[in-house]
Amino acid sequence: MKYVQLAFLLTLGILCLNAADDLEIRWVSVYQDESRNLATVDPGSKIKIMCLIKGGEAPFTIYREDKRLGQTTKRTIRVAVRAKSENGSYPVNISVTDAGQRKSITTAYYHVGEQPKPEEPAEPEDTGTLLLSGSPDDDDDWGDDDEDEEDVVDEYLEKGTTVYPWTDYQNRTIMNTMLPSAVAIGDGNWYYRILHVARERIDDEPLTNFIGLDDSVKIGFQVAYGFTENSDLLFQRTNGRALQVNFNRADPTKMDYYDFIFRYQFLKQRNGSFADAAIHVGPTIMDRNFSSAEQSMNAGIIFERNVMKDRLRLGLGVAYASLSTYENTIGKGPATKLTPDEYDALTAIGAPVPDEEDEHTLAIPLMFKYALSKKQQIFGEIIVPIDGYETTAGPSMLMGYRINGNTHEYSVYLSNTGNPSYNGTITGGHDYDQINLFGFTISAFF
Amino acid sequence: MIKLLGAICCVCLSLTALSAADGKYLHLTLDVVKGSGDDPMFVIFLENKKGFVKTLYWFSRDDKWFEDLTLWEKKRKKAGYKTWKDEPGIDAVIGPTIAWGKSKSCKIPIQQGKINILDGTYRMRIEQRKDKGGHYKNFKLPLKTTFKGGTLENNGYIKKIEIKVKEASKTKDVVKK
């Protein structure tokens, strides 16, 4: 009988709620002894908030809370009628959902109808709570001007995520030196990067060739734009190699790389996921003198996770290029990998060509980043080719130092590959145990 | 001797009068939450029902980002100050940035020229912003004639704000680190 009564009352309550949808303003009063953030309240603790709730179907949205909590941010709550009415009010259960987990449950009284009149405010004291405009106890009508806008809430604050001074900088690298990271740039944001990496080893002529940067430098210009909070498009142009595949031409034949990478971030660690994770896909177009081109279809998935209080960020993934490439470091390492187009051109003029190589490469990228301080990091990246073409001289490797500014990011590094294009970085390095190519990047966020 | 005593009394009275002229001030202590990345900026300004009146305090010396506080920027421009440097006396109210998890104080004179900020016609606004982070604009504190200060917790990047009404002559208040 009890259950029948409860079911009846539940239905009645829901009906009452539905009937009350016509009302534009409703109030929920919840009481708590001390001022705390609602999202971090332990189950069972008493809270006190005065909420103005918009009508409509659950979940309702609180857009104004009591002065004691001092929050004017949006929160989504679920409201359900649980028992019979008491004195014109409906006891309800309120659960606050934070990062997909129910953080607090408490009973509140759901008043249908007019806003309950607050108690007469006591004379403010030195140690009292500051009474903000718009709070239920404020009797001063400022007519809240038209210039008022919604607050833009801080995700970390909103979700109650623990952060450290270096967390933001650990998470904001959207492009690791060789491959994209697992973090999208964010809606409407722009990113620019210029990368220089020498093809001359620093131990050849460290002083006279300015640690390899005087000549034979690979330069990557990159720009990225965030279309949504979780998706962006990265474009990078890298100068390619000069191959004499057509001896009848007076000008050298040049090939440049154009990377187009679409990325979608589908996991965020700060939202409670195990790690940040993103997939990326897109072509690298290898253009020769704007007359002929070949393309590689690239795809990958990257996972990155902060550990040790966000000090250490570790990354792991898979990267694939349907037509990989490799350009030899000057004077050392495996020979340049020819593309089918180059084979054809060289064969046509009777030039000697090496045995044809596998066209694709599948690799495992690994990375780490360690925060030395709020803005400084050391980082390392390794990409191990596991299938298809590889240089047979070990994985691509680099290690470097990065410093972050307000809008810029600067890094210097040593590497064993001078191939910055997507399908060139994953094929391996020029040597197992030497990282002697100097490179640097300058990035800007807007 | 009587003349001397009279002179001393006059001097004392003059000094007392000077102290009274200093008047009261608001002692504001702002505790910032623990956070990450660039430190947040805070601007405290005064407005009445007609709009922006004056900037009371700035917690950021990085003036190239001042314009990112768009509410203050918009209201200030509407009041006739094209750039932030156009507002008289603003240099005097710019203090250091408050780092995450730290606290700083400032003092705001109640009588500022012809403006008595506690005459019941003003309210204090605080705008808070972090680059590529939150932007909180809706801190509005009516400054009534009966205002005696108080505290507030958890408002945007403010972990706790405490405002006390103090006598200027009794304490030496400077921005503390």
Side-chain angles (χ1 to χ4, degrees), chain B residues 34-47:
Chain B
K34 287 184 179 175
S36 182
D38 300 326
D39 296 322
M41 291 191 295
F42 298 90
V43 63
I44 305 168
F45 63 93
L46 196 67
E47 69 173 6

Side-chain angles (χ1 to χ4, degrees), chain B residues 144-176:
Chain B
K144 298 180 179 177
T145 50
T146 55
F147 184 77
K148 290 180 180 175
T151 58
L152 181 74
E153 293 182 358
N154 301 324
N155 186 291
Y157 292 119
I158 299 172
K159 182 182 177 190
K160 182 182 173 186
I161 182 168
E162 183 178 23
I163 303 176
K164 290 178 179 171
V165 181
K166 286 189 174 181
E167 294 285 348
S169 54
K170 289 181 181 173
T171 47
K172 292 178 184 175
D173 281 289
V174 288
V175 174
K176 72 176 181 186

Side-chain angles (χ1 to χ4, degrees), chain A residues 128 148 151-152 154 168-169, chain B residues 36 38 130 135 137 140 157:
Chain A
D148 280 358
D151 287 335
V152 178
D154 187 299
D168 253 21
Y169 293 117
Chain B
S36 182
D38 300 326
K130 176 195 161 191
H135 188 180
K137 294 168 272 193
K140 305 166 196 169
Y157 292 119

Side-chain angles (χ1 to χ4, degrees), chain A residues 67 69-70 125-126 128-131 133 139 141 145 148-149 151-152 154 164-165 167-169 374 406, chain B residues 36-38 49 65 74-75 123 130 134-138 140 142 144 148-152 154-157:
Chain A
K67 62 184 191 303
L69 284 169
E125 296 172 4
D126 286 4
T129 303
L130 293 173
L131 187 63
S133 297
D139 55 357
D141 176 26
D145 35 303
D148 280 358
E149 299 161 10
D151 287 335
V152 178
D154 187 299
Y164 302 91
T167 304
D168 253 21
Y169 293 117
K374 177 180 171 182
N406 233 0
Chain B
S36 182
D38 300 326
K49 289 187 177 176
W65 308 114
K74 192 163 68 175
K75 284 179 176 280
R123 69 177 176 184
K130 176 195 161 191
H135 188 180
Y136 299 93
K137 294 168 272 193
N138 288 315
K140 305 166 196 169
K144 298 180 179 177
K148 290 180 180 175
T151 58
L152 181 74
N154 301 324
N155 186 291
Y157 292 119

Side-chain angles (χ1 to χ4, degrees), chain B:
Chain B
M1 187 61 187
I2 292 172
K3 276 184 181 177
L4 183 62
L5 283 172
I8 291 170
C9 285
C10 281
V11 170
C12 289
L13 281 171
S14 305
L15 287 173
T16 311
L18 274 175
S19 297
D22 278 349
K24 293 179 177 177
Y25 66 92
L26 301 181
H27 185 271
L28 186 148
T29 306
L30 207 154
D31 294 357
V32 176
V33 298
K34 287 184 179 175
S36 182
D38 300 326
D39 296 322
M41 291 191 295
F42 298 90
V43 63
I44 305 168
F45 63 93
L46 196 67
E47 69 173 6
N48 57 20
K49 289 187 177 176
K50 291 177 185 172
F52 179 84
V53 176
K54 69 177 298 175
T55 306
L56 296 176
Y57 211 82
W58 256 103
F59 283 108
S60 173
R61 289 213 174 105
D62 207 350
D63 56 25
K64 66 181 173 181
W65 308 114
F66 279 11
E67 292 179 358
D68 285 356
L69 289 167
T70 52
L71 176 76
W72 169 79
E73 175 82 0
K74 192 163 68 175
K75 284 179 176 280
R76 194 204 66 235
K77 279 185 176 168
K78 213 172 168 182
Y81 303 120
K82 269 190 172 180
T83 69
W84 67 269
K85 289 177 182 172
D86 293 340
E87 192 188 337
I90 193 165
D91 286 341
V93 294
I94 296 176
T97 308
I98 314 177
W100 296 115
K102 301 290 183 187
S103 168
K104 284 198 190 304
S105 298
C106 67
K107 69 173 187 178
I108 299 167
I110 289 172
Q111 190 68 45
Q112 302 204 14
K114 291 178 181 175
I115 299 169
N116 180 343
I117 66 175
L118 292 188
D119 70 4
T121 60
Y122 300 103
R123 69 177 176 184
M124 182 189 286
R125 300 286 300 260
I126 300 182
E127 188 178 3
Q128 319 163 39
R129 184 162 195 183
K130 176 195 161 191
D131 187 37
K132 291 192 170 49
H135 188 180
Y136 299 93
K137 294 168 272 193
N138 288 315
F139 184 104
K140 305 166 196 169
L141 178 67
L143 297 169
K144 298 180 179 177
T145 50
T146 55
F147 184 77
K148 290 180 180 175
T151 58
L152 181 74
E153 293 182 358
N154 301 324
N155 186 291
Y157 292 119
I158 299 172
K159 182 182 177 190
K160 182 182 173 186
I161 182 168
E162 183 178 23
I163 303 176
K164 290 178 179 171
V165 181
K166 286 189 174 181
E167 294 285 348
S169 54
K170 289 181 181 173
T171 47
K172 292 178 184 175
D173 281 289
V174 288
V175 174
K176 72 176 181 186
K177 291 185 179 177

Side-chain angles (χ1 to χ4, degrees), chain A residues 36-56:
Chain A
R36 291 172 66 184
N37 190 320
L38 187 59
T40 58
V41 168
D42 298 325
S45 61
K46 291 179 182 176
I47 55 174
K48 178 181 179 180
I49 54 171
M50 192 72 83
C51 310
L52 189 57
I53 293 188
K54 270 185 174 177

